[in-house]
């Protein structure tokens, strides 16, 4: 039997094509028509694998979550070190695919990789002695911080035009026009500063809990 000229349609091929479209043009660019054209198939054939466009985007989001390293929660690190390494791995995965972050921000829902991620964080925190309620809050807090940092660049929010920041109107923004060209330094530095501050605060709470101090 002769081989088909085109690879057979599969969930993986659809997710790969949809992910490339999201990366290049954003969430609104994804449609069954665009995907079918990119894959060289008819639009209805996509529904044999995904019922809706949202289901496709969920699968793209989960493919990104699957890239996040969770090995630091296997018991080799203390809870703070594990959260630190995980936060960096998570941010690195999102940095390559920022357009899918709004979908990830909805929560894991039924997405397997997203649920494994949430399970790993919660399990590691409770194993370290955090009460379950605190462990839940920590997981939520870390997601807010990491996803927020990946949504957009702070540095690129300023234009490369010194005249836009008249000292008469903005006396403290005289150097703001230089931020865009220092995006990596500014954004990565802000993430590191925020992550350290966040973990420092959690460490204070943890030590208080372990010492029997009133719970916050």
């Amino acid at each position: 039997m002769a081989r088909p000229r085109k690879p057979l349609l599969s969930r993986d091929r659809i997710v790969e094509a949809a992910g490339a479209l999201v990366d290049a043009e954003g969430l609104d660019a994804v449609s069954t028509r665009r995907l079918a054209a990119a894959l060289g198939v008819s639009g209805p054939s996509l529904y044999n694998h995904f019922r809706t466009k949202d289901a496709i985007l969920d699968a793209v989001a989960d493919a990104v979550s699957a890239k996040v390293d969770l090995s630091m929660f296997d018991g080799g690190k203390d809870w703070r070190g594990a959260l630190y390494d995980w936060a960096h791995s998570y941010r690195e995965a999102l940095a390559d695919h920022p357009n899918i972050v709004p979908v990830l921000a909805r929560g894991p829902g039924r997405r397997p990789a997203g649920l494994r991620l949430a399970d790993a964080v919660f399990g590691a925190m409770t194993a370290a002695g955090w009460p379950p309620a605190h462990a839940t809050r920590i997981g939520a807090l870390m997601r807010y911080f990491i996803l927020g940092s990946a949504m957009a660049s702070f540095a690129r929010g300023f234009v490369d035009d010194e005249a836009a920041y008249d000292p008469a109107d903005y006396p403290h923004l005289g150097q703001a026009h230089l931020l865009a060209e220092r995006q990596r330094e500014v954004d990565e530095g802000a993430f590191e500063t925020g992550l350290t501050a966040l973990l420092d605060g959690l460490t204070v709470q943890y030590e208080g809990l372990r010492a029997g101090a009133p719970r916050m």
Side-chain angles (χ1 to χ4, degrees):
M1 181 181 294
R3 292 184 178 181
R5 293 181 179 180
K6 295 178 181 177
L8 295 175
L9 190 62
S10 66
R11 288 179 64 91
D12 288 345
R13 284 193 67 214
I14 295 170
V15 170
E16 183 179 358
L21 197 54
V22 171
D23 288 344
E25 301 182 39
L27 294 172
D28 291 340
V30 178
S31 68
T32 54
R33 180 183 62 80
R34 291 285 304 274
L35 284 176
L39 291 164
V41 299
S42 63
S45 64
L46 298 178
Y47 295 113
N48 293 326
H49 301 276
F50 293 98
R51 296 179 61 184
T52 65
K53 169 185 168 179
D54 284 343
I56 295 173
L57 292 177
D58 265 351
V60 173
D62 213 37
V64 173
S65 293
K67 297 179 181 180
V68 181
D69 183 13
L70 299 177
S71 63
M72 66 285 296
F73 296 120
D74 291 341
K77 288 182 176 289
D78 60 51
W79 67 268
R80 177 181 174 130
L83 282 182
Y84 179 90
D85 289 348
W86 170 69
H88 277 281
S89 178
Y90 202 171
R91 184 173 183 269
E92 287 172 9
L94 299 183
D96 292 334
H97 309 281
N99 290 339
I100 199 64
V101 172
V103 178
L104 287 164
R106 300 171 191 165
R110 297 176 182 272
R111 299 194 296 266
L115 290 170
R116 285 193 293 271
L117 189 155
D119 182 73
V121 175
F122 181 82
M125 295 306 101
T126 54
W130 284 98
H134 285 71
T136 300
R137 295 171 199 160
I138 290 170
L141 171 62
M142 295 297 290
R143 285 189 68 257
Y144 297 155
F145 175 68
I146 297 165
L147 293 174
S149 75
M151 290 287 282
S153 164
F154 175 82
R156 290 195 180 280
F158 296 87
V159 298
D160 184 14
D161 179 6
E162 185 174 6
Y165 307 106
D166 189 331
D169 297 319
Y170 314 106
H172 305 296
L173 295 181
Q175 301 296 306
H177 65 288
L178 301 175
L179 291 176
E181 67 184 43
R182 300 175 183 172
Q183 179 205 350
R184 183 171 181 176
E185 175 187 352
V186 172
D187 291 345
E188 290 187 2
F191 181 78
E192 186 68 25
T193 298
L195 180 60
T196 299
L198 188 156
L199 294 175
D200 283 348
L202 288 176
T203 299
V204 171
Q205 290 191 38
Y206 182 76
E207 292 174 350
L209 288 169
R210 301 292 282 182
R215 296 182 179 180
M216 299 176 63

